[in-house]
Amino acid sequence: MRQPIIAGNWKMHMGRVEQAVSFARQIRQALNEVEGVDRVLCPPFTVLTAVAEAMQHTQIALAAQTMHWEEMGAHTGEISPVMLSELCDYVILGHSERRATGSTAETDQSINLKVHAAFAHGLTPIICVGENLEQNEAGETHAFVGGQVRAAFDGLTTEQALRCVVAYEPIWAIGTGKAATPTDANRTIGLTVRGAIAESFGEEVAQTVRVQYGGSVNVDNIASFMAMPEVDGALVGGASLKPDFVELVRRGAGASIG
Ligand code: 13P
């Protein structure tokens, strides 16, 4: 049995401390009461401490949205695993919005370094993978996403591999209102994500790792994803910024077949 996990990725929203804390207080009691699903909030760095305080004495976990792999050093503006380890339990790594471009772009290689660094500091990585529209239409999803998974898991021990959370987020489904079909998400997670893990770590590990779907998940479609046997949760963007995120999590927990 895999315990489902639903995470709300706030991205670069809820930026003012007062706004973030007020929203966190608004949802915390009801969110804390939902059973049968791990609940995670992923606020921006600058409000992480304040939201962590607001979530004290609840079972709601926090995640950072990225981090550097080094513990310390001359990396202006970066956030290290040491800085995060007292504040949160999880860290999102390799989100497609960070893999994309720019000097801080995350690559398969740097994501793998970050996965190792996360474990070295007691953080659980939520590893994001997913193909773009062109790759999807060219039938390259299996090869591309499988490669991302293999690269991220490279060199992990079995115990570490078991603890990883993977988020399959097709890029064309993120923020577009055009989610993957639950059947397609189920197939890619089962065949491609678990398939790639099984190649290196065996079928038992592949069947134990929790894999979320992400991309235009909302209160109306969450149940259809959670009802899929390979889908263990969701990484939610836009819909996690509204109070009915609690209802989304409730419906997800209710529909999950674990
Ligand atoms: P949306 O739910 O807004 O499509 O974002 C998904 C996502 O990128 C979560 O990490």
Side-chain angles (χ1 to χ4, degrees):
M1 289 288 275
R2 301 183 293 258
Q3 167 86 351
I5 172 167
I6 299 181
N9 178 8
W10 292 2
K11 305 191 179 181
M12 204 168 70
H13 297 286
M14 298 279 176
R16 283 181 294 114
V17 172
E18 191 198 331
Q19 180 190 23
V21 169
S22 141
F23 179 65
R25 287 197 182 132
Q26 191 182 351
I27 62 171
R28 73 179 162 194
Q29 190 182 345
L31 191 58
N32 194 40
E33 284 167 4
V34 185
E35 289 180 355
V37 59
D38 288 349
R39 294 129 295 165
V40 185
L41 299 179
C42 323
F45 290 130
T46 49
V47 301
L48 202 46
T49 306
V51 176
E53 270 168 29
M55 290 302 157
Q56 269 177 11
H57 313 299
T58 74
Q59 289 173 20
I60 300 161
L62 293 187
Q65 297 179 14
T66 185
M67 68 175 194
H68 199 278
W69 61 88
E70 299 273 10
E71 287 183 11
M72 63 181 84
H75 301 289
T76 303
E78 292 289 342
I79 300 284
S80 87
V82 174
M83 298 171 188
L84 295 177
S85 59
E86 289 173 3
L87 286 176
C88 49
D89 296 319
Y90 295 87
V91 56
I92 297 176
L93 298 175
H95 193 283
S96 60
E97 286 155 11
R98 300 193 53 85
R99 285 186 189 253
T101 49
S103 58
T104 57
E106 297 186 15
T107 62
D108 279 345
Q109 289 69 36
S110 70
I111 291 161
N112 179 247
L113 289 173
K114 293 177 184 200
V115 171
H116 283 275
F119 282 120
H121 293 277
L123 295 160
T124 298
I126 299 176
I127 301 162
C128 300
V129 298
E131 81 287 359
N132 65 27
L133 186 60
E134 221 178 7
Q135 291 163 327
N136 181 279
E137 288 174 346
E140 293 165 7
T141 299
H142 184 71
F144 183 74
V145 173
Q148 288 182 318
V149 173
R150 274 188 291 274
F153 276 68
D154 191 42
L156 294 182
T157 65
T158 299
E159 289 66 32
Q160 291 169 336
L162 284 167
R163 284 180 48 207
C164 286
V165 177
V166 179
Y168 169 57
E169 299 202 297
I171 295 171
W172 47 269
I174 295 177
T176 58
K178 187 177 174 291
T181 66
T183 315
D184 283 350
N186 190 63
R187 187 184 322 112
T188 303
I189 288 174
L191 290 179
T192 304
V193 177
R194 294 197 199 284
I197 297 169
E199 278 172 31
S200 309
F201 297 93
E203 196 55 41
E204 204 180 321
V205 174
Q207 291 305 325
T208 308
V209 170
R210 297 186 292 173
V211 188
Q212 304 171 305
Y213 166 75
S216 296
V217 172
N218 59 42
V219 70
D220 295 317
N221 65 17
I222 182 71
S224 62
F225 287 106
M226 297 295 281
M228 290 285 145
E230 303 288 0
V231 180
D232 306 317
L235 185 53
V236 184
S240 72
L241 300 168
K242 294 179 280 184
D244 75 353
F245 179 61
V246 175
E247 178 59 18
L248 184 158
V249 174
R250 235 182 248 134
R251 289 187 193 182
S256 172
I257 56 171

